[in-house]
């Protein structure tokens, strides 16, 4: 699986957009970009995923560069409840070991009042 | 649907004791997995299963056994607990194939003294 690189921490003001970057320069053509988050002491929660087109759902937007070597997760109006560790993961959509999630250390996002 | 459930929530063991962490899901997901998370670290894959009767090792399998006799249940066994196994354990499930997100349980906090 491709390795991902994320900043260890970021701050964001409440109500502002939070833009979380992720580098995945060795991503393969069949690998998707997934974002999960983990609020303190809870199990990780799926946010969004994409292959090459930008994606949006009720939680966030995902912007993937044209060369697919990096992406940005956007929380449009961050709230205090969005304070969490955010993980960027790339994986192929196959079963077996190729479908495993490999978590790095993620980015700790702190949303401040 | 209850999603992914784990029991117990907390457990303290003495070195050398054995125990089983329980995990169940009611979403008819074929793929289930166990992760451990140590302080300040991301999640590391212990074992996974792509269907009933099929299991395989992840990144850190030593000291743990698993079995998958039904689609719903995926217990994790510690045969002889060691202090190095003090961690938070998360169980997860997803559809085996396709672009599906992974659902995580609430975790089991295990301390081995």
């Amino acid at each position: 699986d491709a390795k991902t690189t994320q900043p260890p921490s970021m701050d964001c003001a409440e109500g502002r957009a939070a833009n979380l970057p992720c580098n995945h320069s060795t991503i393969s053509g069949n690998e998707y970009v997934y974002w999960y988050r983990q609020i303190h002491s809870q199990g990780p929660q799926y946010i969004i995923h994409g292959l090459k087109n930008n994606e949006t759902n009720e939680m966030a937007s995902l912007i993937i560069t044209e060369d697919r070597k990096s992406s940005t997760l956007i929380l449009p109006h961050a709230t205090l409840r969005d304070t969490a560790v955010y993980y960027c993961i790339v994986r192929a959509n196959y079963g077996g070991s190729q479908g495993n999630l490999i978590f790095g250390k993620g980015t700790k996002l702190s949303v401040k009042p | 649907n209850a999603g992914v459930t784990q029991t117990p929530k907390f457990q303290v063991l003495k070195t050398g004791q054995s125990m089983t962490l329980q995990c169940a899901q009611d979403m008819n997901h074929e793929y289930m997995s166990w992760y451990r998370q140590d302080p300040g670290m991301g999640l590391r894959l212990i074992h996974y299963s792509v269907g009933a009767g099929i299991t395989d090792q992840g990144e850190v399998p030593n000291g743990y056994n698993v079995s998958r006799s039904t689609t719903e249940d995926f217990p994790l066994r510690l045969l002889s607990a060691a202090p190095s196994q003090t961690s938070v354990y998360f169980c997860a499930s997803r559809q085996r194939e396709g672009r599906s997100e992974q659902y995580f349980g609430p975790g089991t906090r295990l301390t081995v003294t």
Side-chain angles (χ1 to χ4, degrees):
Chain A
D1 281 342
K3 278 190 72 171
T4 61
T5 304
Q6 299 177 253
S9 63
M10 292 182 64
D11 290 342
C12 178
E14 189 178 20
R16 304 296 294 269
N19 296 290
L20 292 92
C22 179
N23 285 326
H24 31 79
S25 58
T26 59
I27 191 169
S28 301
N30 64 348
E31 289 181 316
Y32 287 73
V33 180
Y34 283 78
W35 284 84
Y36 285 76
R37 73 179 182 183
Q38 188 174 23
I39 296 170
H40 181 62
S41 299
Q42 298 181 21
Q45 176 191 23
Y46 166 83
I47 302 172
I48 198 168
H49 73 277
L51 182 63
K52 54 185 177 181
N53 297 321
N54 297 339
E55 302 286 345
T56 296
N57 64 19
E58 65 278 3
M59 289 181 69
S61 294
L62 173 61
I63 309 297
I64 302 174
T65 58
E66 193 167 342
D67 63 8
R68 303 210 321 125
K69 293 185 177 181
S70 65
S71 60
T72 301
L73 178 75
I74 301 172
L75 308 178
H77 304 287
T79 71
L80 298 178
R81 286 175 294 187
D82 291 322
T83 292
V85 178
Y86 287 77
Y87 296 99
C88 170
I89 301 165
V90 294
R91 77 162 175 91
N93 277 329
Y94 301 120
S97 61
Q98 292 173 306
N100 290 331
L101 292 177
I102 297 177
F103 286 81
K105 294 189 178 179
T107 295
K108 180 169 173 52
L109 176 68
S110 299
V111 181
K112 300 183 184 300
Chain B
N1 287 349
V4 180
T5 58
Q6 293 183 238
T7 56
K9 284 188 168 34
F10 301 94
Q11 183 71 48
V12 178
L13 290 179
K14 289 185 165 45
T15 297
Q17 287 184 316
S18 62
M19 80 159 295
T20 299
L21 308 186
Q22 301 292 345
C23 174
Q25 52 91 11
D26 61 359
M27 298 172 281
N28 202 32
H29 285 168
E30 293 178 275
Y31 185 98
M32 296 185 74
S33 52
W34 276 101
Y35 295 85
R36 62 177 287 174
Q37 186 172 35
D38 301 310
M41 303 285 289
L43 283 75
R44 291 184 292 171
L45 183 66
I46 304 172
H47 285 285
Y48 65 96
S49 168
V50 298
I54 307 170
T55 64
D56 207 345
Q57 296 180 349
E59 181 187 357
V60 288
N62 291 342
Y64 307 95
N65 279 353
V66 291
S67 60
R68 185 94 179 272
S69 55
T70 67
T71 299
E72 295 78 18
D73 300 298
F74 190 43
L76 178 72
R77 280 184 288 279
L78 285 72
L79 297 179
S80 179
S84 61
Q85 294 178 304
T86 293
S87 190
V88 181
Y89 291 85
F90 292 100
C91 178
S93 75
R94 66 170 170 86
Q95 293 175 358
R96 180 178 177 181
E97 301 287 350
R99 299 175 295 165
S100 67
E101 61 265 34
Q102 194 150 159
Y103 295 86
F104 285 82
T108 294
R109 282 150 185 76
L110 176 68
T111 301
V112 182
T113 61

